[in-house]
PDB file of all heavy atoms in Angstrom:
ATOM      1  N   SER P  51     -31.942 -22.972  11.767  1.00  0.00           N
ATOM      2  CA  SER P  51     -32.303 -22.379  13.060  1.00  0.00           C
ATOM      3  C   SER P  51     -33.735 -21.853  13.040  1.00  0.00           C
ATOM      4  O   SER P  51     -34.488 -22.033  14.003  1.00  0.00           O
ATOM      5  CB  SER P  51     -31.355 -21.234  13.419  1.00  0.00           C
ATOM      6  OG  SER P  51     -30.059 -21.728  13.631  1.00  0.00           O
ATOM      7  N   ILE P  52     -34.118 -21.220  11.942  1.00  0.00           N
ATOM      8  CA  ILE P  52     -35.483 -20.716  11.803  1.00  0.00           C
ATOM      9  C   ILE P  52     -36.467 -21.882  11.787  1.00  0.00           C
ATOM     10  O   ILE P  52     -37.466 -21.877  12.511  1.00  0.00           O
ATOM     11  CB  ILE P  52     -35.626 -19.843  10.537  1.00  0.00           C
ATOM     12  CG1 ILE P  52     -34.828 -18.551  10.691  1.00  0.00           C
ATOM     13  CG2 ILE P  52     -37.099 -19.553  10.231  1.00  0.00           C
ATOM     14  CD1 ILE P  52     -34.655 -17.757   9.404  1.00  0.00           C
ATOM     15  N   ALA P  53     -36.169 -22.897  10.968  1.00  0.00           N
ATOM     16  CA  ALA P  53     -37.069 -24.058  10.866  1.00  0.00           C
ATOM     17  C   ALA P  53     -37.182 -24.787  12.208  1.00  0.00           C
ATOM     18  O   ALA P  53     -38.280 -25.184  12.610  1.00  0.00           O
ATOM     19  CB  ALA P  53     -36.580 -25.005   9.772  1.00  0.00           C
ATOM     20  N   LEU P  54     -36.071 -24.943  12.893  1.00  0.00           N
ATOM     21  CA  LEU P  54     -36.081 -25.622  14.192  1.00  0.00           C
ATOM     22  C   LEU P  54     -36.866 -24.815  15.235  1.00  0.00           C
ATOM     23  O   LEU P  54     -37.669 -25.377  15.983  1.00  0.00           O
ATOM     24  CB  LEU P  54     -34.639 -25.852  14.662  1.00  0.00           C
ATOM     25  CG  LEU P  54     -34.415 -26.842  15.777  1.00  0.00           C
ATOM     26  CD1 LEU P  54     -34.948 -28.212  15.408  1.00  0.00           C
ATOM     27  CD2 LEU P  54     -32.922 -26.940  16.090  1.00  0.00           C
ATOM     28  N   SER P  55     -36.653 -23.508  15.236  1.00  0.00           N
ATOM     29  CA  SER P  55     -37.400 -22.643  16.162  1.00  0.00           C
ATOM     30  C   SER P  55     -38.896 -22.726  15.882  1.00  0.00           C
ATOM     31  O   SER P  55     -39.714 -22.810  16.808  1.00  0.00           O
ATOM     32  CB  SER P  55     -36.939 -21.190  16.026  1.00  0.00           C
ATOM     33  OG  SER P  55     -35.590 -21.074  16.393  1.00  0.00           O
ATOM     34  N   LEU P  56     -39.259 -22.719  14.608  1.00  0.00           N
ATOM     35  CA  LEU P  56     -40.676 -22.809  14.249  1.00  0.00           C
ATOM     36  C   LEU P  56     -41.256 -24.181  14.590  1.00  0.00           C
ATOM     37  O   LEU P  56     -42.438 -24.280  14.940  1.00  0.00           O
ATOM     38  CB  LEU P  56     -40.876 -22.489  12.768  1.00  0.00           C
ATOM     39  CG  LEU P  56     -40.681 -21.026  12.394  1.00  0.00           C
ATOM     40  CD1 LEU P  56     -40.723 -20.854  10.881  1.00  0.00           C
ATOM     41  CD2 LEU P  56     -41.723 -20.149  13.071  1.00  0.00           C
ATOM     42  N   PHE P  57     -40.441 -25.220  14.505  1.00  0.00           N
ATOM     43  CA  PHE P  57     -40.915 -26.551  14.880  1.00  0.00           C
ATOM     44  C   PHE P  57     -41.297 -26.582  16.358  1.00  0.00           C
ATOM     45  O   PHE P  57     -42.386 -27.020  16.727  1.00  0.00           O
ATOM     46  CB  PHE P  57     -39.847 -27.611  14.577  1.00  0.00           C
ATOM     47  CG  PHE P  57     -40.255 -28.999  14.983  1.00  0.00           C
ATOM     48  CD1 PHE P  57     -41.094 -29.747  14.170  1.00  0.00           C
ATOM     49  CD2 PHE P  57     -39.809 -29.551  16.169  1.00  0.00           C
ATOM     50  CE1 PHE P  57     -41.484 -31.031  14.545  1.00  0.00           C
ATOM     51  CE2 PHE P  57     -40.187 -30.834  16.558  1.00  0.00           C
ATOM     52  CZ  PHE P  57     -41.028 -31.576  15.734  1.00  0.00           C
ATOM     53  N   PHE P  58     -40.392 -26.080  17.212  1.00  0.00           N
ATOM     54  CA  PHE P  58     -40.678 -26.090  18.647  1.00  0.00           C
ATOM     55  C   PHE P  58     -41.797 -25.114  19.001  1.00  0.00           C
ATOM     56  O   PHE P  58     -42.641 -25.408  19.854  1.00  0.00           O
ATOM     57  CB  PHE P  58     -39.409 -25.842  19.455  1.00  0.00           C
ATOM     58  CG  PHE P  58     -38.493 -27.029  19.446  1.00  0.00           C
ATOM     59  CD1 PHE P  58     -37.287 -26.986  18.775  1.00  0.00           C
ATOM     60  CD2 PHE P  58     -38.865 -28.217  20.069  1.00  0.00           C
ATOM     61  CE1 PHE P  58     -36.451 -28.101  18.743  1.00  0.00           C
ATOM     62  CE2 PHE P  58     -38.040 -29.331  20.054  1.00  0.00           C
ATOM     63  CZ  PHE P  58     -36.837 -29.274  19.380  1.00  0.00           C
ATOM     64  N   ALA P  59     -41.828 -23.963  18.347  1.00  0.00           N
ATOM     65  CA  ALA P  59     -42.943 -23.034  18.552  1.00  0.00           C
ATOM     66  C   ALA P  59     -44.248 -23.683  18.099  1.00  0.00           C
ATOM     67  O   ALA P  59     -45.291 -23.518  18.739  1.00  0.00           O
ATOM     68  CB  ALA P  59     -42.703 -21.736  17.787  1.00  0.00           C
ATOM     69  N   GLY P  60     -44.183 -24.451  17.003  1.00  0.00           N
ATOM     70  CA  GLY P  60     -45.363 -25.149  16.497  1.00  0.00           C
ATOM     71  C   GLY P  60     -45.907 -26.157  17.492  1.00  0.00           C
ATOM     72  O   GLY P  60     -47.130 -26.286  17.648  1.00  0.00           O
ATOM     73  N   ILE P  61     -45.017 -26.859  18.163  1.00  0.00           N
ATOM     74  CA  ILE P  61     -45.464 -27.800  19.203  1.00  0.00           C
ATOM     75  C   ILE P  61     -46.224 -27.046  20.285  1.00  0.00           C
ATOM     76  O   ILE P  61     -47.320 -27.445  20.677  1.00  0.00           O
ATOM     77  CB  ILE P  61     -44.254 -28.554  19.821  1.00  0.00           C
ATOM     78  CG1 ILE P  61     -43.636 -29.507  18.795  1.00  0.00           C
ATOM     79  CG2 ILE P  61     -44.685 -29.322  21.075  1.00  0.00           C
ATOM     80  CD1 ILE P  61     -42.313 -30.123  19.242  1.00  0.00           C
ATOM     81  N   TYR P  62     -45.640 -25.946  20.719  1.00  0.00           N
ATOM     82  CA  TYR P  62     -46.244 -25.177  21.809  1.00  0.00           C
ATOM     83  C   TYR P  62     -47.593 -24.582  21.403  1.00  0.00           C
ATOM     84  O   TYR P  62     -48.600 -24.766  22.097  1.00  0.00           O
ATOM     85  CB  TYR P  62     -45.270 -24.080  22.251  1.00  0.00           C
ATOM     86  CG  TYR P  62     -45.778 -23.274  23.418  1.00  0.00           C
ATOM     87  CD1 TYR P  62     -45.726 -23.780  24.712  1.00  0.00           C
ATOM     88  CD2 TYR P  62     -46.319 -22.010  23.223  1.00  0.00           C
ATOM     89  CE1 TYR P  62     -46.195 -23.053  25.789  1.00  0.00           C
ATOM     90  CE2 TYR P  62     -46.796 -21.270  24.298  1.00  0.00           C
ATOM     91  CZ  TYR P  62     -46.733 -21.794  25.569  1.00  0.00           C
ATOM     92  OH  TYR P  62     -47.203 -21.063  26.627  1.00  0.00           O
ATOM     93  N   VAL P  63     -47.632 -23.870  20.276  1.00  0.00           N
ATOM     94  CA  VAL P  63     -48.885 -23.207  19.889  1.00  0.00           C
ATOM     95  C   VAL P  63     -49.947 -24.202  19.446  1.00  0.00           C
ATOM     96  O   VAL P  63     -51.136 -23.965  19.660  1.00  0.00           O
ATOM     97  CB  VAL P  63     -48.691 -22.099  18.826  1.00  0.00           C
ATOM     98  CG1 VAL P  63     -47.778 -21.001  19.343  1.00  0.00           C
ATOM     99  CG2 VAL P  63     -48.223 -22.635  17.506  1.00  0.00           C
ATOM    100  N   SER P  64     -49.533 -25.321  18.868  1.00  0.00           N
ATOM    101  CA  SER P  64     -50.512 -26.350  18.479  1.00  0.00           C
ATOM    102  C   SER P  64     -51.180 -26.943  19.704  1.00  0.00           C
ATOM    103  O   SER P  64     -52.386 -27.200  19.711  1.00  0.00           O
ATOM    104  CB  SER P  64     -49.837 -27.459  17.673  1.00  0.00           C
ATOM    105  OG  SER P  64     -49.368 -26.969  16.451  1.00  0.00           O
ATOM    106  N   ASN P  65     -50.381 -27.164  20.729  1.00  0.00           N
ATOM    107  CA  ASN P  65     -50.910 -27.676  21.990  1.00  0.00           C
ATOM    108  C   ASN P  65     -51.955 -26.716  22.557  1.00  0.00           C
ATOM    109  O   ASN P  65     -53.036 -27.126  22.968  1.00  0.00           O
ATOM    110  CB  ASN P  65     -49.755 -27.858  22.976  1.00  0.00           C
ATOM    111  CG  ASN P  65     -49.905 -29.067  23.845  1.00  0.00           C
ATOM    112  OD1 ASN P  65     -50.662 -29.979  23.539  1.00  0.00           O
ATOM    113  ND2 ASN P  65     -49.177 -29.083  24.933  1.00  0.00           N
ATOM    114  N   LYS P  66     -51.609 -25.439  22.573  1.00  0.00           N
ATOM    115  CA  LYS P  66     -52.525 -24.416  23.088  1.00  0.00           C
ATOM    116  C   LYS P  66     -53.767 -24.298  22.204  1.00  0.00           C
ATOM    117  O   LYS P  66     -54.891 -24.259  22.702  1.00  0.00           O
ATOM    118  CB  LYS P  66     -51.816 -23.057  23.168  1.00  0.00           C
ATOM    119  CG  LYS P  66     -50.679 -23.013  24.144  1.00  0.00           C
ATOM    120  CD  LYS P  66     -51.179 -22.966  25.558  1.00  0.00           C
ATOM    121  CE  LYS P  66     -50.065 -22.655  26.525  1.00  0.00           C
ATOM    122  NZ  LYS P  66     -50.529 -22.603  27.904  1.00  0.00           N
ATOM    123  N   ALA P  67     -53.559 -24.221  20.892  1.00  0.00           N
ATOM    124  CA  ALA P  67     -54.677 -24.032  19.960  1.00  0.00           C
ATOM    125  C   ALA P  67     -55.618 -25.226  19.974  1.00  0.00           C
ATOM    126  O   ALA P  67     -56.840 -25.058  19.871  1.00  0.00           O
ATOM    127  CB  ALA P  67     -54.151 -23.779  18.551  1.00  0.00           C
ATOM    128  N   GLU P  68     -55.072 -26.424  20.095  1.00  0.00           N
ATOM    129  CA  GLU P  68     -55.902 -27.627  20.152  1.00  0.00           C
ATOM    130  C   GLU P  68     -56.889 -27.533  21.313  1.00  0.00           C
ATOM    131  O   GLU P  68     -58.075 -27.843  21.169  1.00  0.00           O
ATOM    132  CB  GLU P  68     -54.997 -28.849  20.290  1.00  0.00           C
ATOM    133  CG  GLU P  68     -55.685 -30.166  20.092  1.00  0.00           C
ATOM    134  CD  GLU P  68     -54.709 -31.328  20.145  1.00  0.00           C
ATOM    135  OE1 GLU P  68     -53.985 -31.467  21.158  1.00  0.00           O
ATOM    136  OE2 GLU P  68     -54.680 -32.098  19.168  1.00  0.00           O
ATOM    137  N   LYS P  69     -56.404 -27.074  22.444  1.00  0.00           N
ATOM    138  CA  LYS P  69     -57.272 -26.917  23.624  1.00  0.00           C
ATOM    139  C   LYS P  69     -58.288 -25.797  23.417  1.00  0.00           C
ATOM    140  O   LYS P  69     -59.456 -25.940  23.765  1.00  0.00           O
ATOM    141  CB  LYS P  69     -56.429 -26.664  24.870  1.00  0.00           C
ATOM    142  CG  LYS P  69     -55.636 -27.887  25.286  1.00  0.00           C
ATOM    143  CD  LYS P  69     -54.682 -27.600  26.412  1.00  0.00           C
ATOM    144  CE  LYS P  69     -53.882 -28.859  26.707  1.00  0.00           C
ATOM    145  NZ  LYS P  69     -52.640 -28.596  27.372  1.00  0.00           N
ATOM    146  N   LEU P  70     -57.842 -24.689  22.835  1.00  0.00           N
ATOM    147  CA  LEU P  70     -58.745 -23.560  22.605  1.00  0.00           C
ATOM    148  C   LEU P  70     -59.836 -23.901  21.585  1.00  0.00           C
ATOM    149  O   LEU P  70     -60.980 -23.487  21.732  1.00  0.00           O
ATOM    150  CB  LEU P  70     -57.953 -22.336  22.133  1.00  0.00           C
ATOM    151  CG  LEU P  70     -57.073 -21.672  23.184  1.00  0.00           C
ATOM    152  CD1 LEU P  70     -56.098 -20.707  22.533  1.00  0.00           C
ATOM    153  CD2 LEU P  70     -57.930 -20.953  24.218  1.00  0.00           C
ATOM    154  N   LEU P  71     -59.446 -24.644  20.554  1.00  0.00           N
ATOM    155  CA  LEU P  71     -60.413 -25.018  19.521  1.00  0.00           C
ATOM    156  C   LEU P  71     -61.293 -26.186  19.958  1.00  0.00           C
ATOM    157  O   LEU P  71     -62.352 -26.420  19.378  1.00  0.00           O
ATOM    158  CB  LEU P  71     -59.688 -25.358  18.211  1.00  0.00           C
ATOM    159  CG  LEU P  71     -58.934 -24.199  17.553  1.00  0.00           C
ATOM    160  CD1 LEU P  71     -58.043 -24.704  16.431  1.00  0.00           C
ATOM    161  CD2 LEU P  71     -59.903 -23.134  17.043  1.00  0.00           C
ATOM    162  N   GLY P  72     -60.813 -26.948  20.952  1.00  0.00           N
ATOM    163  CA  GLY P  72     -61.591 -28.065  21.481  1.00  0.00           C
ATOM    164  C   GLY P  72     -61.665 -29.271  20.568  1.00  0.00           C
ATOM    165  O   GLY P  72     -62.548 -30.108  20.705  1.00  0.00           O
ATOM    166  N   ILE P  73     -60.703 -29.362  19.639  1.00  0.00           N
ATOM    167  CA  ILE P  73     -60.698 -30.487  18.686  1.00  0.00           C
ATOM    168  C   ILE P  73     -59.286 -31.051  18.630  1.00  0.00           C
ATOM    169  O   ILE P  73     -58.323 -30.320  18.382  1.00  0.00           O
ATOM    170  CB  ILE P  73     -61.116 -30.033  17.271  1.00  0.00           C
ATOM    171  CG1 ILE P  73     -62.503 -29.403  17.290  1.00  0.00           C
ATOM    172  CG2 ILE P  73     -61.076 -31.201  16.292  1.00  0.00           C
ATOM    173  CD1 ILE P  73     -62.864 -28.687  16.003  1.00  0.00           C
ATOM    174  N   ARG P  74     -59.172 -32.353  18.839  1.00  0.00           N
ATOM    175  CA  ARG P  74     -57.867 -33.017  18.751  1.00  0.00           C
ATOM    176  C   ARG P  74     -57.374 -32.965  17.308  1.00  0.00           C
ATOM    177  O   ARG P  74     -58.088 -33.328  16.383  1.00  0.00           O
ATOM    178  CB  ARG P  74     -57.987 -34.469  19.220  1.00  0.00           C
ATOM    179  CG  ARG P  74     -56.656 -35.194  19.243  1.00  0.00           C
ATOM    180  CD  ARG P  74     -56.838 -36.638  19.701  1.00  0.00           C
ATOM    181  NE  ARG P  74     -55.575 -37.303  19.834  1.00  0.00           N
ATOM    182  CZ  ARG P  74     -54.929 -37.895  18.831  1.00  0.00           C
ATOM    183  NH1 ARG P  74     -55.438 -37.912  17.636  1.00  0.00           N
ATOM    184  NH2 ARG P  74     -53.760 -38.485  19.051  1.00  0.00           N
ATOM    185  N   ASP P  75     -56.164 -32.483  17.103  1.00  0.00           N
ATOM    186  CA  ASP P  75     -55.530 -32.341  15.786  1.00  0.00           C
ATOM    187  C   ASP P  75     -56.495 -31.687  14.787  1.00  0.00           C
ATOM    188  O   ASP P  75     -56.732 -32.194  13.696  1.00  0.00           O
ATOM    189  CB  ASP P  75     -55.028 -33.690  15.269  1.00  0.00           C
ATOM    190  CG  ASP P  75     -53.985 -33.535  14.158  1.00  0.00           C
ATOM    191  OD1 ASP P  75     -53.618 -32.388  13.823  1.00  0.00           O
ATOM    192  OD2 ASP P  75     -53.555 -34.562  13.613  1.00  0.00           O
ATOM    193  N   SER P  76     -57.025 -30.543  15.173  1.00  0.00           N
ATOM    194  CA  SER P  76     -57.963 -29.802  14.325  1.00  0.00           C
ATOM    195  C   SER P  76     -57.370 -29.537  12.945  1.00  0.00           C
ATOM    196  O   SER P  76     -56.198 -29.162  12.836  1.00  0.00           O
ATOM    197  CB  SER P  76     -58.313 -28.459  14.979  1.00  0.00           C
ATOM    198  OG  SER P  76     -59.018 -27.637  14.085  1.00  0.00           O
ATOM    199  N   PRO P  77     -58.148 -29.709  11.888  1.00  0.00           N
ATOM    200  CA  PRO P  77     -57.646 -29.399  10.546  1.00  0.00           C
ATOM    201  C   PRO P  77     -57.309 -27.911  10.377  1.00  0.00           C
ATOM    202  O   PRO P  77     -56.600 -27.543   9.450  1.00  0.00           O
ATOM    203  CB  PRO P  77     -58.787 -29.812   9.616  1.00  0.00           C
ATOM    204  CG  PRO P  77     -59.972 -30.037  10.468  1.00  0.00           C
ATOM    205  CD  PRO P  77     -59.505 -30.252  11.866  1.00  0.00           C
ATOM    206  N   LYS P  78     -57.796 -27.079  11.297  1.00  0.00           N
ATOM    207  CA  LYS P  78     -57.468 -25.652  11.239  1.00  0.00           C
ATOM    208  C   LYS P  78     -56.011 -25.398  11.629  1.00  0.00           C
ATOM    209  O   LYS P  78     -55.438 -24.377  11.261  1.00  0.00           O
ATOM    210  CB  LYS P  78     -58.402 -24.868  12.162  1.00  0.00           C
ATOM    211  CG  LYS P  78     -59.828 -24.827  11.675  1.00  0.00           C
ATOM    212  CD  LYS P  78     -60.714 -24.055  12.618  1.00  0.00           C
ATOM    213  CE  LYS P  78     -62.085 -23.942  12.001  1.00  0.00           C
ATOM    214  NZ  LYS P  78     -63.147 -24.345  12.852  1.00  0.00           N
ATOM    215  N   ILE P  79     -55.428 -26.303  12.380  1.00  0.00           N
ATOM    216  CA  ILE P  79     -54.028 -26.156  12.796  1.00  0.00           C
ATOM    217  C   ILE P  79     -53.147 -26.606  11.636  1.00  0.00           C
ATOM    218  O   ILE P  79     -53.104 -27.788  11.293  1.00  0.00           O
ATOM    219  CB  ILE P  79     -53.734 -26.963  14.073  1.00  0.00           C
ATOM    220  CG1 ILE P  79     -54.597 -26.456  15.234  1.00  0.00           C
ATOM    221  CG2 ILE P  79     -52.252 -26.887  14.422  1.00  0.00           C
ATOM    222  CD1 ILE P  79     -54.514 -27.292  16.491  1.00  0.00           C
ATOM    223  N   VAL P  80     -52.463 -25.637  11.021  1.00  0.00           N
ATOM    224  CA  VAL P  80     -51.652 -25.936   9.833  1.00  0.00           C
ATOM    225  C   VAL P  80     -50.192 -25.506   9.985  1.00  0.00           C
ATOM    226  O   VAL P  80     -49.436 -25.571   9.020  1.00  0.00           O
ATOM    227  CB  VAL P  80     -52.264 -25.313   8.551  1.00  0.00           C
ATOM    228  CG1 VAL P  80     -53.629 -25.910   8.254  1.00  0.00           C
ATOM    229  CG2 VAL P  80     -52.334 -23.797   8.640  1.00  0.00           C
ATOM    230  N   ILE P  81     -49.794 -25.105  11.180  1.00  0.00           N
ATOM    231  CA  ILE P  81     -48.391 -24.741  11.388  1.00  0.00           C
ATOM    232  C   ILE P  81     -47.483 -25.927  11.049  1.00  0.00           C
ATOM    233  O   ILE P  81     -46.358 -25.741  10.599  1.00  0.00           O
ATOM    234  CB  ILE P  81     -48.139 -24.227  12.838  1.00  0.00           C
ATOM    235  CG1 ILE P  81     -46.724 -23.662  13.001  1.00  0.00           C
ATOM    236  CG2 ILE P  81     -48.412 -25.302  13.870  1.00  0.00           C
ATOM    237  CD1 ILE P  81     -46.446 -22.397  12.246  1.00  0.00           C
ATOM    238  N   ASP P  82     -47.999 -27.138  11.207  1.00  0.00           N
ATOM    239  CA  ASP P  82     -47.218 -28.330  10.866  1.00  0.00           C
ATOM    240  C   ASP P  82     -46.937 -28.386   9.370  1.00  0.00           C
ATOM    241  O   ASP P  82     -45.840 -28.765   8.957  1.00  0.00           O
ATOM    242  CB  ASP P  82     -47.912 -29.606  11.352  1.00  0.00           C
ATOM    243  CG  ASP P  82     -49.386 -29.695  10.989  1.00  0.00           C
ATOM    244  OD1 ASP P  82     -50.046 -28.653  10.786  1.00  0.00           O
ATOM    245  OD2 ASP P  82     -49.901 -30.827  10.928  1.00  0.00           O
ATOM    246  N   GLU P  83     -47.900 -27.991   8.539  1.00  0.00           N
ATOM    247  CA  GLU P  83     -47.676 -27.956   7.096  1.00  0.00           C
ATOM    248  C   GLU P  83     -46.724 -26.822   6.709  1.00  0.00           C
ATOM    249  O   GLU P  83     -45.876 -26.988   5.831  1.00  0.00           O
ATOM    250  CB  GLU P  83     -48.999 -27.806   6.333  1.00  0.00           C
ATOM    251  CG  GLU P  83     -49.767 -29.091   6.150  1.00  0.00           C
ATOM    252  CD  GLU P  83     -50.669 -29.444   7.322  1.00  0.00           C
ATOM    253  OE1 GLU P  83     -50.790 -28.635   8.272  1.00  0.00           O
ATOM    254  OE2 GLU P  83     -51.239 -30.552   7.291  1.00  0.00           O
ATOM    255  N   VAL P  84     -46.871 -25.682   7.369  1.00  0.00           N
ATOM    256  CA  VAL P  84     -45.990 -24.544   7.088  1.00  0.00           C
ATOM    257  C   VAL P  84     -44.541 -24.941   7.360  1.00  0.00           C
ATOM    258  O   VAL P  84     -43.663 -24.798   6.496  1.00  0.00           O
ATOM    259  CB  VAL P  84     -46.379 -23.314   7.955  1.00  0.00           C
ATOM    260  CG1 VAL P  84     -45.372 -22.183   7.774  1.00  0.00           C
ATOM    261  CG2 VAL P  84     -47.793 -22.842   7.640  1.00  0.00           C
ATOM    262  N   VAL P  85     -44.294 -25.474   8.531  1.00  0.00           N
ATOM    263  CA  VAL P  85     -42.936 -25.844   8.928  1.00  0.00           C
ATOM    264  C   VAL P  85     -42.457 -27.063   8.144  1.00  0.00           C
ATOM    265  O   VAL P  85     -41.290 -27.130   7.738  1.00  0.00           O
ATOM    266  CB  VAL P  85     -42.864 -26.093  10.455  1.00  0.00           C
ATOM    267  CG1 VAL P  85     -41.490 -26.566  10.877  1.00  0.00           C
ATOM    268  CG2 VAL P  85     -43.245 -24.827  11.207  1.00  0.00           C
ATOM    269  N   GLY P  86     -43.356 -28.002   7.907  1.00  0.00           N
ATOM    270  CA  GLY P  86     -42.991 -29.191   7.130  1.00  0.00           C
ATOM    271  C   GLY P  86     -42.459 -28.824   5.755  1.00  0.00           C
ATOM    272  O   GLY P  86     -41.475 -29.399   5.289  1.00  0.00           O
ATOM    273  N   TYR P  87     -43.089 -27.857   5.119  1.00  0.00           N
ATOM    274  CA  TYR P  87     -42.602 -27.454   3.794  1.00  0.00           C
ATOM    275  C   TYR P  87     -41.188 -26.891   3.895  1.00  0.00           C
ATOM    276  O   TYR P  87     -40.351 -27.159   3.022  1.00  0.00           O
ATOM    277  CB  TYR P  87     -43.544 -26.440   3.124  1.00  0.00           C
ATOM    278  CG  TYR P  87     -43.074 -26.117   1.731  1.00  0.00           C
ATOM    279  CD1 TYR P  87     -43.301 -27.004   0.691  1.00  0.00           C
ATOM    280  CD2 TYR P  87     -42.340 -24.973   1.474  1.00  0.00           C
ATOM    281  CE1 TYR P  87     -42.810 -26.736  -0.589  1.00  0.00           C
ATOM    282  CE2 TYR P  87     -41.856 -24.698   0.211  1.00  0.00           C
ATOM    283  CZ  TYR P  87     -42.096 -25.581  -0.817  1.00  0.00           C
ATOM    284  OH  TYR P  87     -41.598 -25.330  -2.077  1.00  0.00           O
ATOM    285  N   LEU P  88     -40.898 -26.150   4.946  1.00  0.00           N
ATOM    286  CA  LEU P  88     -39.541 -25.603   5.103  1.00  0.00           C
ATOM    287  C   LEU P  88     -38.507 -26.722   5.178  1.00  0.00           C
ATOM    288  O   LEU P  88     -37.437 -26.642   4.558  1.00  0.00           O
ATOM    289  CB  LEU P  88     -39.448 -24.721   6.349  1.00  0.00           C
ATOM    290  CG  LEU P  88     -40.285 -23.452   6.350  1.00  0.00           C
ATOM    291  CD1 LEU P  88     -40.072 -22.692   7.653  1.00  0.00           C
ATOM    292  CD2 LEU P  88     -39.956 -22.577   5.154  1.00  0.00           C
ATOM    293  N   TYR P  89     -38.811 -27.765   5.941  1.00  0.00           N
ATOM    294  CA  TYR P  89     -37.889 -28.905   6.023  1.00  0.00           C
ATOM    295  C   TYR P  89     -37.808 -29.653   4.692  1.00  0.00           C
ATOM    296  O   TYR P  89     -36.760 -30.172   4.334  1.00  0.00           O
ATOM    297  CB  TYR P  89     -38.293 -29.863   7.152  1.00  0.00           C
ATOM    298  CG  TYR P  89     -37.892 -29.369   8.510  1.00  0.00           C
ATOM    299  CD1 TYR P  89     -38.837 -28.867   9.394  1.00  0.00           C
ATOM    300  CD2 TYR P  89     -36.570 -29.387   8.918  1.00  0.00           C
ATOM    301  CE1 TYR P  89     -38.479 -28.398  10.650  1.00  0.00           C
ATOM    302  CE2 TYR P  89     -36.194 -28.922  10.167  1.00  0.00           C
ATOM    303  CZ  TYR P  89     -37.146 -28.433  11.027  1.00  0.00           C
ATOM    304  OH  TYR P  89     -36.777 -27.965  12.267  1.00  0.00           O
ATOM    305  N   SER P  90     -38.895 -29.698   3.960  1.00  0.00           N
ATOM    306  CA  SER P  90     -38.898 -30.350   2.649  1.00  0.00           C
ATOM    307  C   SER P  90     -37.880 -29.709   1.711  1.00  0.00           C
ATOM    308  O   SER P  90     -37.290 -30.373   0.867  1.00  0.00           O
ATOM    309  CB  SER P  90     -40.283 -30.255   1.995  1.00  0.00           C
ATOM    310  OG  SER P  90     -41.236 -30.969   2.724  1.00  0.00           O
ATOM    311  N   MET P  91     -37.678 -28.406   1.865  1.00  0.00           N
ATOM    312  CA  MET P  91     -36.837 -27.650   0.933  1.00  0.00           C
ATOM    313  C   MET P  91     -35.408 -27.399   1.422  1.00  0.00           C
ATOM    314  O   MET P  91     -34.617 -26.779   0.713  1.00  0.00           O
ATOM    315  CB  MET P  91     -37.514 -26.304   0.638  1.00  0.00           C
ATOM    316  CG  MET P  91     -38.856 -26.439  -0.042  1.00  0.00           C
ATOM    317  SD  MET P  91     -38.780 -27.377  -1.578  1.00  0.00           S
ATOM    318  CE  MET P  91     -37.742 -26.314  -2.556  1.00  0.00           C
TER     319      MET P  91
END
Side-chain angles (χ1 to χ4, degrees):
S51 294
I52 292 168
L54 196 58
S55 297
L56 289 173
F57 178 80
F58 287 111
I61 292 171
Y62 183 78
V63 299
S64 294
N65 217 19
K66 295 285 191 180
E68 191 176 56
K69 291 173 183 158
L70 289 166
L71 295 169
I73 302 168
R74 184 181 185 275
D75 199 3
S76 170
K78 291 180 174 129
I79 298 173
V80 297
I81 188 68
D82 49 335
E83 279 86 5
V84 174
V85 176
Y87 184 78
L88 295 180
Y89 282 106
S90 295
M91 297 304 296

